[in-house]
Amino acid sequence: MKKNAKTQKGKATRMRNSKRLAKIRSQIPYWVMLLIPLAFFLLVRYWPMYGLAIAFQDYKIGDPFISSESRWAGFKWFQTLFRNPNFPRLVRNTLAINILSILISFPISIAFALLLNEIRFKKLRNLTANISLLPYFISTVVIVAIIYSVFSVDDGLVNMVIQKLGGKKINFLAESKWFRPLYIGSGIWQNTGFNAVVFTAAISGIDPNLYEAAALDGSTRLKNIFHITIPCILPTIIIMLLLRIGNIMTVGYEKIILMYTPSTYEVADVLSTYAYRAGLENQKYSLSAAISLINSVVNVVLLVSANKATKKLSGSSLW
């Protein structure tokens, strides 16, 4: 009896092992597919963190990052940044551009996804979604060129219309009060379609039976949006908002550098453009690295804090 029990137990163990091996073999193609994104994150996202050591050094081109020959400077470059009289302005402009972008563009992306969902003709809905995605694939240089051609004071389309209506030309590109509207507005035009993709996918996952039950109760399409659609995609909205908050100290320098002029520095100069000038123009690579490190640390702190707050308030969070 004991021998038979051991034999049966051994057979059961071998069967479990064979099933496990079969499952692993069936998953090999998926693990191979993961190698490319894994290599990307290791080489592009994590390996460069090794270079953050230069934020604590007097680094010059050709010096090793970490060795006995490294010239360590401690927190010298952080102190240099904090003592810079322009530092409060840089932080203020960075926060202003990102917060305004979140307050304006984020709700527009949600509203656009909701409106797409209300288009009953599938071909028209797909055509609208595809057209809205096109600006996302236009390069930043071309986007700025379009801004210049539309808002130029000499032959820009907007100024031509203003002049035809009897008004005076406005130098949109040189007046500081117009920089943020142009920057944020062009960003909305470029990114709304792409940002709405996630919300559209979340909406498509809502159970149709909820809408059918609401129709039986006499609910209108407008009421369905506020009582079914938005509550069902609220976790997705919270997650996307948290990701935006996690980048609140990061503004891409490419578009700003192409757009700003000396007359708009007061509202356009941000931490990333200052880091660009410090690193590539003035060869202060350690200062540039210190700015990037501060940005990353602040972003992580804000992300963790916002994640904890939303988890307590709504139960939805990134982790």
Side-chain angles (χ1 to χ4, degrees):
M1 291 293 291
K2 290 183 178 180
K3 188 175 181 180
N4 290 336
K6 288 182 178 179
T7 303
Q8 291 178 358
K9 188 176 180 180
K11 288 181 179 179
T13 302
R14 286 193 295 271
M15 287 181 64
R16 285 196 300 270
N17 291 335
S18 62
K19 287 181 180 180
R20 191 178 294 112
L21 287 173
K23 186 176 181 181
I24 292 173
R25 289 194 188 109
S26 67
Q27 293 177 345
I28 288 176
Y30 303 107
W31 287 107
V32 173
M33 290 173 62
L34 277 175
L35 290 177
I36 295 176
L38 181 63
F40 169 80
F41 279 100
L42 288 176
L43 296 176
V44 179
R45 299 296 184 183
Y46 289 98
W47 176 250
M49 290 183 183
Y50 175 71
L52 287 174
I54 68 176
F56 304 94
Q57 302 172 4
D58 286 324
Y59 181 77
K60 301 294 181 184
I61 288 289
D63 291 351
F65 287 156
I66 300 178
S67 73
S68 58
E69 299 177 3
S70 299
R71 294 171 293 180
W72 296 97
F75 293 95
K76 168 188 171 181
W77 297 109
F78 296 93
Q79 294 173 355
T80 300
L81 176 63
F82 294 144
R83 291 171 181 170
N84 190 319
N86 294 322
F87 179 70
R89 186 193 68 188
L90 297 171
V91 174
R92 182 175 65 249
N93 290 340
T94 302
L95 291 174
I97 289 175
N98 270 324
I99 291 174
L100 287 173
S101 295
I102 292 174
L103 293 177
I104 299 172
S105 65
F106 190 75
I108 289 176
S109 299
I110 298 172
F112 182 70
L114 294 172
L115 291 174
L116 277 180
N117 185 59
E118 293 303 313
I119 300 176
R120 295 307 180 206
F121 298 101
K122 187 176 180 180
K123 290 184 178 180
L124 179 59
R125 183 170 65 246
N126 293 338
L127 178 63
T128 305
N130 290 333
I131 292 174
S132 69
L133 277 172
L134 291 178
Y136 180 79
F137 299 100
I138 301 176
S139 70
T140 303
V141 175
V142 176
I143 291 291
V144 175
I146 293 172
I147 294 172
Y148 271 82
S149 64
V150 173
F151 294 96
S152 174
V153 69
D154 296 322
D155 54 358
L157 177 62
V158 174
N159 272 311
M160 289 173 62
V161 172
I162 292 174
Q163 197 172 27
K164 289 288 185 182
L165 295 175
K168 294 182 179 180
K169 290 184 177 181
I170 302 173
N171 196 348
F172 292 99
L173 302 171
E175 295 184 15
S176 59
K177 66 179 181 180
W178 290 107
F179 177 83
R180 288 174 186 169
L182 289 177
Y183 182 91
I184 296 171
S186 60
I188 291 171
W189 174 70
Q190 186 179 14
N191 299 315
T192 294
F194 182 80
N195 292 336
V197 169
V198 176
F199 303 118
T200 304
I203 292 171
S204 65
I206 298 175
D207 187 357
N209 293 326
L210 295 175
Y211 295 104
E212 293 175 4
L216 293 174
D217 291 336
S219 178
T220 63
R221 291 171 68 177
L222 183 61
K223 288 182 179 179
N224 288 345
I225 291 175
F226 291 100
H227 296 288
I228 297 177
T229 308
I230 293 179
C232 286
I233 67 171
L234 188 60
T236 303
I237 293 174
I238 291 173
I239 289 173
M240 297 304 295
L241 181 60
L242 287 172
L243 293 175
R244 293 289 296 269
I245 292 174
N247 285 310
I248 204 167
M249 289 295 291
T250 304
V251 179
Y253 64 86
E254 300 94 343
K255 188 176 177 182
I256 292 180
I257 286 177
L258 292 170
M259 285 183 63
Y260 72 3
T261 60
S263 61
T264 60
Y265 273 1
E266 188 62 30
V267 297
D269 202 17
V270 295
L271 285 167
S272 59
T273 55
Y274 180 71
Y276 173 86
R277 293 198 304 274
L280 295 183
E281 294 182 6
N282 300 325
Q283 286 78 49
K284 295 181 179 179
Y285 304 105
S286 296
L287 177 58
S288 182
I291 296 171
S292 300
L293 181 57
I294 290 172
N295 278 352
S296 300
V297 170
V298 173
N299 283 336
V300 169
V301 171
L302 289 174
L303 178 61
V304 172
S305 302
N307 187 72
K308 287 184 178 180
T310 54
K311 191 172 184 178
K312 289 182 178 179
L313 295 174
S314 64
S316 298
S317 61
L318 284 171
W319 63 83

